[in-house]
Every structure is written in C-alpha cells, then in structure tokens.
Amino acid sequence: MTPILYSFRRCPYAMRARLAISASGQTVELREILLRDKAPEFLATSPSATVPCLKDSETVIDESLDVMKWALSQSDPEGWLDMPDAGHDLIAEADGPFKQALDRTKYATRYPDADPEEQRVKAHVFLHQLNDQLAQPYIF
C-alpha cells in the first residue's frame, strides 16, 4: 500500500514534510486538505486533525518533523540527517519558543494572557540570530 500524505499547500509544516519526502525519493499518495472543510477520512486518521499527517499501513505520523524523519530514515541521499546537534537545536527553537512567540504575536486575541509586544520581541531576537547565521556561506 502506498503511504498517504494529508497536506495543505500553504502550510509551512506540510511543506517541509513534502520537501523531505521528495528529497528521500519516497512515493506517497498526496491528498490535499481543505482546512475549512476537512474530509471525514482525514479526521478519522489524524489524531490532531492537523496537517501534515502520514498514514503508512497501520502507522499514523501526525507531526511534520516525524514525517521528515520517517522519509529520510528510508533514504537520505543528501545526508540531511547528518546534522550537528546545533542543527537539531535550531529546529527545536524554531518549532518551540519561536513558534510560540510568533503565534502570540500574530494571533494575540487567542492569547489574552500574553503581551503581544513582549512576544514580538522574543520572536525578533530569534529572527536576528538566524539572520546572522544566514549571512555566512553555510548555517553549519
């Protein structure tokens, strides 16, 4: 059975999952999801009802980083998994504290207990550090 990847074209997490799948050369059946009208089959598959979600036989992978690891563990011709610890730390910071600050800035009404200006400053610090790294020929 060909694995099924539920995705949404503009979701950055789904984009990175699709990119890793492409880089690994894995074949999946891509099913685009309408976020405002999620298909019942998708909702029955995804515990979080979010994309990306990969179903491979009986296994369901519901996080983009885990989808990436799934694909690259099967084939990693460009050595994406051969990353220094600092690379994993950068991903964890982007997916954790930065994403949290970004959400509390962009969607301030959803987080009434958070100061959006304070959260913007946190996100700003991360972006400036990343910008400094990108000024080099390589991040690592």
Side-chain angles (χ1 to χ4, degrees), residues 14 65 103:
L65 191 56
D103 286 349

Side-chain angles (χ1 to χ4, degrees), residues 7-89:
S7 184
F8 178 65
R9 183 178 317 266
R10 294 188 323 256
C11 171
Y13 292 103
M15 287 178 194
R16 75 181 188 179
R18 291 191 314 265
L19 184 62
I21 289 168
S22 178
S24 72
Q26 299 304 303
T27 300
V28 298
E29 177 185 333
L30 183 61
R31 294 189 184 171
E32 287 288 334
I33 296 299
L34 293 174
L35 298 180
R36 68 180 177 280
D37 186 23
K38 297 175 182 174
E41 183 179 311
F42 165 68
L43 293 173
T45 301
S46 174
S48 67
T50 60
V51 293
C53 178
L54 181 97
K55 182 173 184 181
D56 184 17
S57 299
E58 297 302 314
T59 303
V60 174
I61 304 172
D62 208 33
E63 292 290 332
S64 61
L65 191 56
D66 294 334
V67 172
M68 294 176 73
K69 290 176 181 177
W70 168 85
L72 296 169
S73 70
Q74 295 180 59
S75 175
D76 187 11
E78 296 179 30
W80 288 17
L81 292 176
D82 299 330
M83 182 174 23
D85 289 342
H88 295 282
D89 294 344

Side-chain angles (χ1 to χ4, degrees), residues 6 11 18 26 31 34 49 52-53 69 97 104 106 108-110 114 128 136 138:
Y6 295 96
C11 171
R18 291 191 314 265
Q26 299 304 303
R31 294 189 184 171
L34 293 174
C53 178
K69 290 176 181 177
R104 282 157 179 73
K106 286 176 57 178
T109 57
R110 295 181 192 172
H128 274 280
Q136 306 302 315
Y138 300 99

